[in-house]
Amino acid sequence: MKAKDVYVTGAGIVSAIGLGKQATLEALRDGRSGVEPVRYLQTAHAGLPVGEVKYSNDEMREMLRIAPEEAVIRSSLLGILAVGEALRQYAPPESRDETLRVALLSGITVGGMDQVENMYDDFVETDSKNGYISLIDCGACTEQIADYFGGFRMASTIVTACSSSANAIMTGVDLLREDRADVVVAGGCECLSRYHVNGFNTLMILDRGICRPFDRRRAGINLGEGAGYLVLEPAESVARRGVQPLGKVSGYCNACDAYHQTASSPEGLGAYLAMKGAIEDAGLAPDEIDYINAHGTGTPNNDLTEGLAIMRLFGERIPPVASLKAFTGHTTSAAGSLEAVISLLALRHDFLPVNLNFREPIEDHSFVPLTGPAPGRSLRHLLSNSFGFGGNSSAIVFSKI
């Protein structure tokens, strides 16, 4: 282990396909999508398929022993569930060193809009729900997660739309390499809200069926919700504790082509630069990447341009490519970290998550996505992409120990 190497020693996840890593692994191996008609969100667009977490707020409150009268937003509940699983894997509570500088970095964009939009009349007419007003701020979610567990010396929120949680992971590695923290819990969470659904519906990029990433007839995204968090530790800490990491963060890169507020550049410049930079940061060549977890939203623009960027970087030796969005829905700010956990599961269990609902290739692509059932194979390095509005593109290389 090199001194500046950073390893993953805990991971937690909740999404439409299950609570926890084991449930997630089983759904992926079974090819079971969690995208279904709206169940919990109160919206006029009830016919839209979404990737909802299959628990109500009250059920999650009960799991976490949070009192009914305490003001809490759904994103915080999702985040607490995922952070809890990650911390339990990192170390039992009684064995954790309280002198360590532990940081929490969390990505989110919608914040507490899910509750605030339901309580507008209460805010205007009474003071009964005023505890929720401050929770609209994105940072309030990070603070609720940090307060639930305690022990964090630093808590910070990263907001770059759909690359938020990937950027949280990258920033966490930077903190460790610069000796500004001893342990970092990094990831993100996001819940569905009417604000969320109405906004994407106005952009006319929601698929009325289950999305079809990288398919010629793709029609848009399915929104989803969830949370994913990693516990990151430097090499010396891992060696001192004698623990077996889940994997290594080998390289990463963020690039912004700033082409358009909501669209990537026609040639996928941001995606190309992010992938190229991440592979170079890992000290690898493109042909050493065994699998690409694509951003693959199912929109005409993203899938075309991401594919063109992959073709430009990998040439004739394109590794298996798949998008997970038809499993979980597009979990927006949580997508990067949620899919980071899945990438680590793939590495640990030597399997390739597949691309659901693919039928016909995109005419301008020289490859087709991986469809199942995929055979198991030995994996070394995976590349995971997360692209946000405004051209904010991020890519991370995860490697097997």
Side-chain angles (χ1 to χ4, degrees), residues 295-311:
H295 188 55
T297 61
T299 60
N301 175 257
N302 177 92
D303 293 9
L304 173 62
T305 59
E306 185 175 9
L308 294 176
I310 289 170
M311 291 162 56

Side-chain angles (χ1 to χ4, degrees), residues 238-280:
V238 172
R240 183 177 64 253
R241 295 201 305 127
V243 295
Q244 177 63 34
L246 296 173
K248 175 183 171 183
V249 182
S250 297
Y252 51 95
C253 182
N254 173 268
C256 185
D257 60 28
Y259 172 76
H260 187 271
Q261 286 181 323
T262 60
S264 55
S265 61
E267 69 279 11
L269 178 60
Y272 169 78
L273 291 174
M275 290 188 291
K276 181 174 183 291
I279 293 171
E280 289 176 348

Side-chain angles (χ1 to χ4, degrees), residues 197-343:
V197 173
N198 294 348
F200 280 90
N201 190 54
T202 300
L203 290 173
M204 297 184 288
I205 55 172
L206 295 182
D207 196 329
R208 267 51 189 173
I210 299 181
C211 67
R212 295 157 280 177
F214 292 107
D215 188 85
R216 186 170 71 88
R217 300 184 185 277
R218 65 201 183 281
I221 71 175
N222 303 137
L223 284 170
E225 62 181 2
Y229 288 86
L230 306 180
V231 180
L232 305 173
E233 281 189 83
E236 55 269 27
S237 176
V238 172
R240 183 177 64 253
R241 295 201 305 127
V243 295
Q244 177 63 34
L246 296 173
K248 175 183 171 183
V249 182
S250 297
Y252 51 95
C253 182
N254 173 268
C256 185
D257 60 28
Y259 172 76
H260 187 271
Q261 286 181 323
T262 60
S264 55
S265 61
E267 69 279 11
L269 178 60
Y272 169 78
L273 291 174
M275 290 188 291
K276 181 174 183 291
I279 293 171
E280 289 176 348
D281 186 51
L284 301 172
D287 61 6
E288 292 180 273
I289 299 297
D290 298 310
Y291 175 84
I292 301 174
N293 168 43
H295 188 55
T297 61
T299 60
N301 175 257
N302 177 92
D303 293 9
L304 173 62
T305 59
E306 185 175 9
L308 294 176
I310 289 170
M311 291 162 56
R312 177 181 176 186
L313 180 59
F314 290 89
E316 296 181 358
R317 302 185 66 178
I318 297 175
V321 177
S323 165
L324 305 176
K325 300 298 191 292
F327 281 99
T328 64
H330 186 359
T331 57
T332 54
S333 293
S337 57
L338 195 152
E339 294 176 19
V341 176
I342 292 175
S343 295

Side-chain angles (χ1 to χ4, degrees), residues 56-388:
S56 69
N57 287 2
D58 288 342
E59 288 171 327
M60 288 190 283
R61 279 179 180 270
E62 186 174 349
M63 286 185 219
L64 298 168
R65 299 182 180 180
I66 296 175
E69 65 274 11
E70 184 176 342
V72 64
I73 58 178
R74 186 170 175 86
S75 290
S76 297
L77 296 170
L78 298 172
I80 290 168
L81 287 171
V83 169
E85 183 186 21
L87 288 175
R88 287 191 298 274
Q89 185 170 31
Y90 158 70
E94 62 275 9
S95 70
R96 296 174 196 164
D97 184 350
E98 295 183 359
T99 67
L100 294 177
R101 299 168 298 163
V102 183
L104 172 65
L105 301 178
S106 188
I108 188 172
T109 301
V110 174
M113 184 63 76
D114 65 304
Q115 292 287 10
V116 171
E117 66 188 7
N118 290 329
M119 297 175 180
Y120 179 80
D121 290 340
D122 295 289
F123 299 151
V124 172
E125 298 169 5
T126 74
D127 293 328
S128 63
K129 303 293 185 182
N130 285 2
Y132 283 91
I133 293 176
S134 63
L135 298 183
I136 192 171
D137 181 82
C138 292
C141 177
T142 306
E143 290 174 3
Q144 287 199 316
I145 297 170
D147 289 345
Y148 182 88
F149 293 100
F152 290 106
R153 299 282 188 91
M154 167 190 173
S156 187
T157 305
I158 293 177
V159 183
T160 57
C162 302
S163 59
S164 298
S165 59
N167 287 334
I169 294 170
M170 292 159 50
T171 304
V173 176
D174 285 342
L175 287 179
L176 294 172
R177 287 180 173 175
E178 295 166 7
D179 193 30
R180 296 170 61 191
D182 299 312
V183 177
V184 175
V185 179
C189 54
E190 196 91 280
C191 74
L192 289 169
S193 67
R194 292 198 298 274
Y195 170 81
H196 214 167
V197 173
N198 294 348
F200 280 90
N201 190 54
T202 300
L203 290 173
M204 297 184 288
I205 55 172
L206 295 182
D207 196 329
R208 267 51 189 173
I210 299 181
C211 67
R212 295 157 280 177
F214 292 107
D215 188 85
R216 186 170 71 88
R217 300 184 185 277
R218 65 201 183 281
I221 71 175
N222 303 137
L223 284 170
E225 62 181 2
Y229 288 86
L230 306 180
V231 180
L232 305 173
E233 281 189 83
E236 55 269 27
S237 176
V238 172
R240 183 177 64 253
R241 295 201 305 127
V243 295
Q244 177 63 34
L246 296 173
K248 175 183 171 183
V249 182
S250 297
Y252 51 95
C253 182
N254 173 268
C256 185
D257 60 28
Y259 172 76
H260 187 271
Q261 286 181 323
T262 60
S264 55
S265 61
E267 69 279 11
L269 178 60
Y272 169 78
L273 291 174
M275 290 188 291
K276 181 174 183 291
I279 293 171
E280 289 176 348
D281 186 51
L284 301 172
D287 61 6
E288 292 180 273
I289 299 297
D290 298 310
Y291 175 84
I292 301 174
N293 168 43
H295 188 55
T297 61
T299 60
N301 175 257
N302 177 92
D303 293 9
L304 173 62
T305 59
E306 185 175 9
L308 294 176
I310 289 170
M311 291 162 56
R312 177 181 176 186
L313 180 59
F314 290 89
E316 296 181 358
R317 302 185 66 178
I318 297 175
V321 177
S323 165
L324 305 176
K325 300 298 191 292
F327 281 99
T328 64
H330 186 359
T331 57
T332 54
S333 293
S337 57
L338 195 152
E339 294 176 19
V341 176
I342 292 175
S343 295
L344 290 162
L345 288 174
L347 279 170
R348 190 171 182 85
H349 297 279
D350 282 324
F351 87 103
L352 301 180
V354 299
N355 194 107
L356 300 179
N357 302 331
F358 173 79
R359 297 290 182 273
E360 300 179 64
I362 296 172
E363 293 177 352
D364 293 327
H365 285 180
S366 63
F367 69 95
V368 296
L370 179 70
T371 57
R377 57 177 289 184
S378 179
L379 302 175
R380 301 165 299 160
H381 310 288
L382 306 188
L383 179 67
S384 188
N385 292 339
S386 299
F387 307 146

